[in-house]
Amino acid sequence: MRALLLSDYKTLSVVEMPTPEIGDDEALVRVRACGICGSDIHGYDGSTGRRIPPLVMGHEAAGVVERVGRGVTDFTTGDRVSFDSTVSCGTCAFCRRGQINLCDNRTVLGVSCGDYRRHGAFAEYVAVPSRILYKLPDSLPFERAALLEAVSVAVHAVKRHPPMSADAAVVVGAGMIGLLLIQVLRANGNRNIVAVDIDPQKLALAQRMGAIHTLNPNESDVPAAVRDITGGRGADVSFEVVGHPDTVISAIGCLRKGGTVVLVGNLSPRVELPLQAVVSREISVLGSCASSGEIPECIDLLARGVVDVDPIISLKASLDEGPELFARLYGGDPTLMKVIIQP
Ligand SMILES: [Zn+2]
Ligand SMILES: [Zn+2]
């Protein structure tokens, strides 16, 4: 099969590789669409240590079942499917509680980090355990389904602390996950949504997707502006999807007393916490990682058009265009949000 191989850091090329063998509980999926994730770009130069070459990256994919292992009964050749990026074991204490994102034996497709190497979906075929597969309705195109993982991150974050419909909710960071979060909040019945970003174009998109107020930290003091919007009180909940020290401070600073911040972004491994504000104002600080079982719900949100990912998809490209697109994304090309590779 043809695959986009990371043979060395920052070195990608399309190569011939053996089609993956499948185990008894696995399916071989013919990949039809696979999104380039921010984590692939961060791994591409070796900075995260989670894309050790040689590796086929890619974990945000959808395609068609080519064949299944002997033990697989609920999927068959020709099924249109997507899958979770996290391969959970299904047997540890966390998996048994349904917290598959916290699985003790968790591996991720398209990742190699020293403990394991699992080739991903920037290839014609990928092998996936059937327990993480989900059937797609015919009405959901593969390229939209490739964003299911991203949608599930947003849905999971809202599940960590679902705001009441009248609550003021601030989304700090209007990149892909932020824009999805805004749509999920809207679907949750929220109307009082504030989007924060330094990029005016992203703020315009945020407004199109349901944000009522938009704030640019380069132009205004975000916590003060949120207090103005909320009659002096502050927001009930904020979602931080950047993971930078300043944006975390801002997400906490705009909350009312007793408010909740859900931390999704984690670019910086450490940030400073405004301890006295968190303690004396009784702020709840929640982490949110990946998703745990929300994919079927996300398939429904996409199929019904409640969440629209089309404005987020910047480009669809072939496997051969992969190396150039990775280089552009790595260089920070501001015109690209989500790039979908169609092997
Ligand atoms: Zn991803
Ligand atoms: Zn497990």
Side-chain angles (χ1 to χ4, degrees), residues 87-96 99-100 102-106:
V87 183
S88 46
C89 73
T91 56
C92 75
F94 291 99
C95 281
R96 288 202 307 271
Q99 293 174 299
I100 55 177
L102 305 180
C103 171
D104 280 334
N105 309 303
R106 169 181 202 258

Side-chain angles (χ1 to χ4, degrees), residues 133-312:
L133 278 182
Y134 298 91
K135 278 184 196 153
L136 298 175
D138 289 341
S139 60
L140 185 58
F142 295 114
E143 62 269 25
R144 287 188 197 151
L147 272 97
L148 275 168
E149 190 233 11
V151 177
S152 77
V153 169
V155 169
H156 185 68
V158 173
K159 282 248 168 86
R160 292 285 283 138
H161 185 79
M164 310 282 236
S165 59
D167 281 359
V170 177
V171 177
V172 181
M176 180 184 66
I177 299 292
L179 293 170
L180 293 170
L181 247 162
I182 289 165
Q183 295 189 69
V184 172
L185 284 168
R186 241 185 103 94
N188 185 54
N190 288 96
R191 289 296 173 263
N192 204 358
I193 304 168
V194 184
V196 179
D197 205 286
I198 50 172
D199 180 342
Q201 270 176 320
K202 286 184 180 160
L203 288 178
L205 211 46
Q207 202 149 28
R208 251 177 71 194
M209 293 185 160
I212 302 298
H213 309 278
T214 57
L215 296 173
N216 186 332
N218 290 338
E219 290 163 9
S220 60
D221 174 349
V222 171
V226 171
R227 276 195 298 278
D228 278 349
I229 292 166
T230 54
R233 228 164 56 108
D236 300 282
V237 56
S238 60
F239 296 89
E240 204 286 338
V241 291
V242 184
H244 184 272
D246 295 341
T247 47
V248 172
I249 298 271
S250 174
I252 293 172
C254 68
L255 290 172
R256 65 161 165 81
K257 287 184 271 187
T260 299
V261 59
V262 180
L263 301 174
V264 184
N266 59 99
L267 263 182
S268 307
R270 308 170 68 90
V271 298
E272 195 175 299
L273 184 77
L275 179 67
Q276 290 178 342
V278 169
V279 172
S280 64
R281 297 170 62 78
E282 283 204 338
I283 301 299
S284 301
V285 179
L286 303 177
S288 183
C289 177
S291 66
S292 58
E294 285 93 350
I295 301 268
E297 194 179 323
C298 298
I299 291 174
D300 182 58
L301 287 173
L302 286 185
R304 286 192 294 127
V306 174
V307 170
D308 178 11
V309 293
D310 287 356
I312 289 166

Side-chain angles (χ1 to χ4, degrees), residues 6 9-10 41-53 330:
L6 184 72
Y9 291 124
K10 297 199 220 173
I41 302 300
H42 294 303
Y44 169 72
D45 67 354
S47 55
T48 64
R50 289 181 56 80
R51 301 291 189 280
I52 301 168
Y330 185 68

